[in-house]
Amino acid sequence: MEQPDAILTSLKLLIIGESGVGKSSLLLRFTDDAFDPEQAATIGVDFKVKTITINQDKIKLAIWDTAGQERFRTLTPSYYRGGQGAILVYDVTNRDTFDRVDNWLTELETYSTNHDIVKMLVGNKCDMDETRAVSKDEGIKLARKHQMMFIESSAKTKEGVQCAFEELVEKIIQTPGLWEMTSDRKRGIHVAQGEGSTVPGGCNYCSVI
Amino acid sequence: MTHLGPHLRHYGPVAPAAHPGSSTSPIQPKLMPPLTDTFEIEDFTALSDWEKFVAGFEDILRDWGVSHYHPPPDPAPTNATSPGVPWVWRQTRREIRFMDCGFWVTRFLRTLDVADDPPTVPPPTRSDGSVTPGSRACQSLMNGENDFPCSAHPIYYFYGLDEFIILSPQGTEQVDNPTRIKMVLGTLSVAAHNTECGIPMFIQVMQRSQAQFAGLCVNDRFRTMFEMAVLPKVPSSCRNLSEILYVFQEKLSQPLPMSVRGCRCTLRRTYRLEDWTSHAWTQAPPDFELFAMFGGQLGYLNDLRQLPFGAGQDPVKRLLLNTTWPGLVEETVLENDVHNDLDPLEAPSWSVSVQFEEQPQCLLGQYLRQFVKVSENHESMLRVLGDFFNQSDYDVDESVDNVPNALKRLTGPTYGLTDIIKSGRSRRNSNQPGPIKDDYLFKILEYLFPDSTDKPEFPYPQDFGSPSHRHNENFNNFRVLLSTIKSCPVDGLLWRFTIVAAHCLHILGGIKPLAHLMHEFMLEIRFRWENGRKLPGLPHGPPDHSYCLFHQKLQMINYCIDRKLARESVPNQSNEEAVTPKNDENSDEEFFDCDEDEEIEVDETKTNAADLPIWNQKPAGRAERLGKTMLLHHNDFMYVPICQEPAPMTDDQLAEQAEILLQLGSDAEGSELRAKMQSASLLSDMESFKAANPGSVLADFVRWHSPRDWIESQKDNGEKGKLSVRMMTPGNAWAEAWESAKPVPARRQKRLFDDTREAEKAIKFLTSLKPGEATQTLMPTFLHAAIHRLLLETLDNVPNLKDIISTVLPVLARLARFSCRPEVQHYSSETLPEFDTRTNLVRDVVQRLSAAEIKLSQALSLRAKFTKDVNFVKEKAQLDDQEQVARQMEDFVRQLYSCPEVKVVGASRGPAGQLIQKMFKEAEKATQMITDDMEAVTDAPLKVFPAPVSREYIIRVAVPRPFPYSAKSPQRLYVCIKDKEFRLAGAFTLDKEYL
Ligand SMILES: Nc1nc2c(ncn2[C@@H]2O[C@H](COP(=O)(O)OP(=O)(O)OP(=O)(O)O)[C@@H](O)[C@H]2O)c(=O)[nH]1
Ligand SMILES: [Mg+2]
């Protein structure tokens, strides 16, 4: 029989984007509810785990945080393999990081093994409104263009962080064929989910605001 | 005919129930004893059971809402065969018991395919007391539009009825003795009267397979009895139309004699074609001998470059031709003992249907199943190959130098494989022949390694990514999906290897030749690595993770060969450089120093070269100048250093690495350790940078490496800018690494990527695969090749095939997410449940692809039969437009494939008709063993058709029965004469008015 707190599934999420946009800070906020202004620039890849509950189902997340620096780019994409969700971060106060989202999408397309990987565009540092260089509308437009979800967040003030991760996970769970039930849950249950014969089509676009 | 007669007497009219109102009570059914002496129930002991049975049946009818229901005639009866009318049969089924015997009560209704349920509220036809003589059943019996419907319920076929109820015994029970038949028929009769249900009701009698029924239909005015007889042989009184008409008249002359005129006759003759002669479509398996002798010149039939496809026996089993004469007036046609007007070539209507082999043996399917089977084999190479296999062949060989000098440094463009094999590259116990004959082996190796000959017959495509060799449009439709299945480039080295492996398995006799092939393949790979010759047929660059692990390993080996060649191509550098640093000055890297056309603005506050420690005064390993950027504290431009590329990894190495990173834990300490583990390339970059930029500081490095961490100063106080907070934090990983970095150019650093070790690792991985394991890792490529083969054959007019492929590909994409055991066993000891998942997915795909092959074979066979002889058809049918004929025939084939029965336009004179005649004629010649010459000499024209397999007759007439003054009522007789079966199905109606 199924234990009450059995894990429904384990998911692999990726955080990608230019250096310094706040990827590691977002992750730290989500997992430890903390903010560290002295957070070191990431070398290679790092990761954290967290278990969350969505619709009474426990889901274990392994979140891979990648270095945004150019010189690490030959290394990090290898870890995209098997990722079911990706968070693409840009810095709302830095136009350049927004303009490069396209490159990251291409990279994701090239290296991710799941073609229906769920993507969320996150405009971070929205607490710094005075130096904002990218409007929310532009973010929404870009997300729509590439069928991504979208949210603005601040790792510093918490705004949008929890929501970004949860919505992403929920969307993954709703995508058949993208994930597999953990083996202990599968026993005795008819494997209705995760049967990958349908191609999830349509528009993934969704605004979480 | 004696079979039909008595029924009427026994089951004659039953008076309606006297108290219609009380008949609603299920517990006390008001069963009136039969009023006429013709209805006899002898066994009264069963009365109460029978009563229950009747009541139960009536309840069902009421439940269905068909009591007081007299289906009115259809205002616009539709032709069953009219295309595009979405007719469907609806069935509702209930259960009922009689003593210990269970029955099904099933209501059948043919309606238009609309979402609603069958009408449960019948139109009140009774209220005005006028039931039109033409009830729905009467209309159906006389409607000649729907004669000989295909794949229909027997009742519909025999009587044309499109609404009826059948009572049939469950399980193996059968109603076969006359008393029982009588009893059940009585039930129907009583129930029909009590409920006033005008739907025809039947009981299934005798063996189910005989499709034999007895039944009745009652309304206010008429009573129709349905009677059937099935005999193993045609009785002497029923052999032709004349005799059948006589029997029909006799039957209608009961109970009162009458003369019957103006019967309408619909006739059909069916002919069977099973010998396809020259129109047969069969595929032979590929042939090694032919390939070895002629290469690919004989066309794809014998071509080993593809997986095979098609059926060994024709997948179309037979063709049935129906020739039909609809609605003839009885006087206009004659068929009796001596005379026969019915020439099938003159029949106004032709239709054909085809029957497919149920389990055709298809080649691709056989390959698929065998490949899967071998993947479950656990024997080692040694076990499979025995003495022939020499493990030491694979081991790192110190005696490389012993390989003949001519081979060691291959300077010419080619070298002979044959020589190598003979020279004992495989130091086998050489007098022992291998499982693959030598001449086959050379041919295969030449095909896999075409660069080993001067003029390769099958060179690899130049560019694997180009769409040029996705010639077929079908491929484009699936391109995106095909890229997700993690196999290998089409027609690349591994692709060819996989296909040849499949051929070895199937044609050369199983796992032994497969193991031999693998053995030779790996010997060649090791040879190439050791001799610095690149493997052909692989895309350039480091392992591409979108391909399977096997392919990644091959790419890794190639990448290592590249690196090794690159290392060795710079003569002596690595050795001498260290000894004579003077060389540096003249080497190309220092080019930038000489290129200065700009003067460096000397800043007094900064250091100069002379101020630096002696070992760091000379810059080394510069790639290019970074614009005009100056170092912060030294009087020089900033230079981008030559850096080491980070080490590429294959999937398994990556997974292993990820596993290690994961094991460090999720906390801050783990993060720190991970950063340390991965900082090798950062440190290497720093050292290169320091070497290229003497006098540089961390901030300089950051400006190049991570520009966003350098904040340009807005102020004009001479300060250029500052590092970001995270870079300035004391003790951060970057500052620490910078401290420990020494100025060493990339080429003198410890290699981040050890090509020798990596190549050996990759070769080790591949050579340690057991034959069965190898097939597991090759499975995605093999399945891809199978799909590729199907797509090469795919026609647009094969329904479902594309659907099958597009449902298979996502399964394969899912499969790509799972490793098989041999891919992970060298670093993970866990037995993961994903192995099973993968196996199940493979089985699923194999099954679907086999089904697709069968479907495609059927369609191709039909095409081969009907679309090849366009010229013949054109001439015979006297049509001018070749294209139009071709299109017509394509259309005909498409219908044949998707419809159970297809009308032949123009009957015998139409294009398809001409071709069908030709087929029958050829088959006839073949059975009579007549050659074309003989045909020319004999005068008697050759018969086109063999004897018909069935002759069917439908006779209809509307006459007043039983009295001359009764209303006209429908009478109908269906007769079918076959070799081993004779069937009569009559529907005889009486006007009840004056009975
Ligand atoms: N004001 C503000 N600052 C932020 C926010 N998120 C991150 N930062 C700061 O931005 C800087 C970079 O943050 P990181 O999280 O290290 O950036 P990263 O994307 O992980 O960078 P790499 O690891 O180099 O790819 C840090 O100094 C953070 O304190 C935010 O939401 N608001
Ligand atoms: Mg980071």
Side-chain angles (χ1 to χ4, degrees), chain B residues 229-350:
Chain B
V230 180
L231 301 175
K233 211 172 138 253
V234 52
S236 57
S237 57
C238 273
R239 287 167 311 174
N240 51 46
L241 182 60
S242 300
E243 290 173 359
I244 289 168
L245 278 169
Y246 181 76
V247 167
F248 188 54
Q249 296 218 357
E250 284 291 284
K251 176 71 199 173
L252 295 185
S253 300
Q254 288 171 359
L256 293 175
M258 63 182 297
S259 88
V260 182
R261 280 282 147 76
C263 293
R264 288 273 177 173
C265 314
T266 296
L267 313 174
R268 169 175 274 201
R269 297 268 183 283
T270 300
Y271 299 90
R272 182 167 60 202
L273 178 70
E274 278 181 320
D275 183 354
W276 292 108
T277 58
S278 66
H279 302 276
W281 185 86
T282 55
Q283 307 291 299
D287 189 323
F288 256 100
E289 194 69 49
L290 291 174
F291 185 74
M293 278 194 293
F294 304 111
Q297 286 152 16
L298 287 185
Y300 72 84
L301 259 195
N302 301 307
D303 190 347
L304 297 187
R305 290 176 297 163
Q306 291 286 354
L307 291 176
F309 165 85
Q313 88 216 85
D314 200 314
V316 184
K317 195 173 177 185
R318 64 170 67 104
L319 174 140
L320 291 174
L321 168 67
N322 305 305
T323 59
T324 310
W325 292 261
L328 301 176
V329 180
E330 98 183 78
E331 288 81 13
T332 64
V333 59
L334 193 60
E335 191 205 27
N336 59 27
D337 276 352
V338 289
H339 192 90
N340 180 3
D341 282 349
L342 304 170
D343 178 358
L345 289 177
E346 302 298 322
S349 160
W350 274 25

Side-chain angles (χ1 to χ4, degrees), chain B residues 611-631:
Chain B
D611 307 330
L612 295 171
I614 189 82
W615 42 269
N616 194 20
Q617 278 179 356
K618 282 258 170 279
R622 289 177 168 177
E624 61 180 316
R625 212 177 76 187
L626 191 65
K628 289 183 181 175
T629 314
M630 304 286 298
L631 294 177

Side-chain angles (χ1 to χ4, degrees), chain A residues 18-21 37-49 62 64 69-72 74-75 78-79 81-82 94 96-97 100 110-111 113-116 177-180 183 186 191 194-199, chain B residues 480 483-484 486 545 643-647 649 651 654 657-658 661-662 665-668 671 674-675 678-679 681-682 685 704-706 708-709 725-727 729 732-734 806-807 810-811 814 817-819 833 837 848:
Chain A
E18 289 292 305
S19 173
V21 295
E38 297 181 358
Q39 173 90 46
T42 310
I43 295 174
V45 295
D46 194 9
F47 88 100
K48 292 203 182 307
V49 289
W64 290 78
Q69 284 176 26
E70 193 76 40
R71 284 289 299 157
F72 289 120
T74 37
L75 195 74
S78 341
Y79 293 92
R81 177 190 143 97
N94 185 327
D96 190 39
T97 63
R100 284 171 189 258
T110 317
Y111 293 101
T113 49
N114 288 323
H115 272 244
D116 41 3
L178 189 53
W179 55 281
E180 311 276 337
S183 48
K186 227 188 285 193
V191 196
E195 279 292 285
S197 52
T198 45
V199 196
Chain B
V480 176
S483 69
T484 62
K486 215 158 174 155
H545 296 273
C643 296
Q644 286 203 56
E645 286 308 306
M649 283 189 272
D651 272 347
L654 208 62
Q657 177 81 14
L661 293 181
L662 278 169
S666 188
D667 54 2
S671 288
R674 268 189 289 274
Q678 299 174 87
S679 57
S681 74
L682 178 63
D685 283 356
W704 164 61
H705 201 277
S706 181
R708 264 189 261 287
D709 281 301
V725 180
R726 59 181 193 172
M727 286 297 176
T729 309
N732 77 73
W734 293 65
S806 36
T807 57
V811 181
R814 185 163 170 242
R817 294 207 291 270
F818 298 98
S819 305
T837 313
R848 294 194 208 201

Side-chain angles (χ1 to χ4, degrees), chain B residues 849-862:
Chain B
L849 291 181
S850 304
E853 184 192 19
I854 292 175
K855 283 211 148 56
L856 192 50
S857 299
Q858 293 169 343
L860 283 171
S861 172
L862 288 177

Side-chain angles (χ1 to χ4, degrees), chain B residues 1-19:
Chain B
M1 258 336 271
T2 48
H3 283 81
L4 288 180
H7 289 199
L8 266 185
R9 274 202 303 283
H10 282 291
Y11 310 134
V14 176
H19 318 283

Side-chain angles (χ1 to χ4, degrees), chain A residues 20 22-25 39-43 65-68, chain B residues 726:
Chain A
K23 298 182 294 297
S24 306
S25 304
Q39 173 90 46
T42 310
I43 295 174
D65 174 23
T66 60
Chain B
R726 59 181 193 172

Side-chain angles (χ1 to χ4, degrees), chain A residues 83-116:
Chain A
Q84 287 122 326
I87 296 182
L88 268 91
V89 190
Y90 67 90
D91 176 349
V92 296
T93 69
N94 185 327
R95 179 102 221 156
D96 190 39
T97 63
F98 179 71
D99 293 339
R100 284 171 189 258
V101 166
D102 272 339
N103 296 349
W104 287 101
L105 274 168
T106 319
E107 188 143 293
L108 200 58
E109 202 112 293
T110 317
Y111 293 101
S112 115
T113 49
N114 288 323
H115 272 244
D116 41 3

Side-chain angles (χ1 to χ4, degrees), chain B residues 391-413:
Chain B
Q391 181 60 52
S392 66
D393 283 356
Y394 290 151
D395 296 340
V396 184
D397 191 359
E398 273 84 53
S399 64
V400 179
D401 295 334
N402 297 343
V403 177
N405 273 343
L407 297 175
K408 193 181 176 229
R409 271 285 159 257
L410 297 144
T411 41

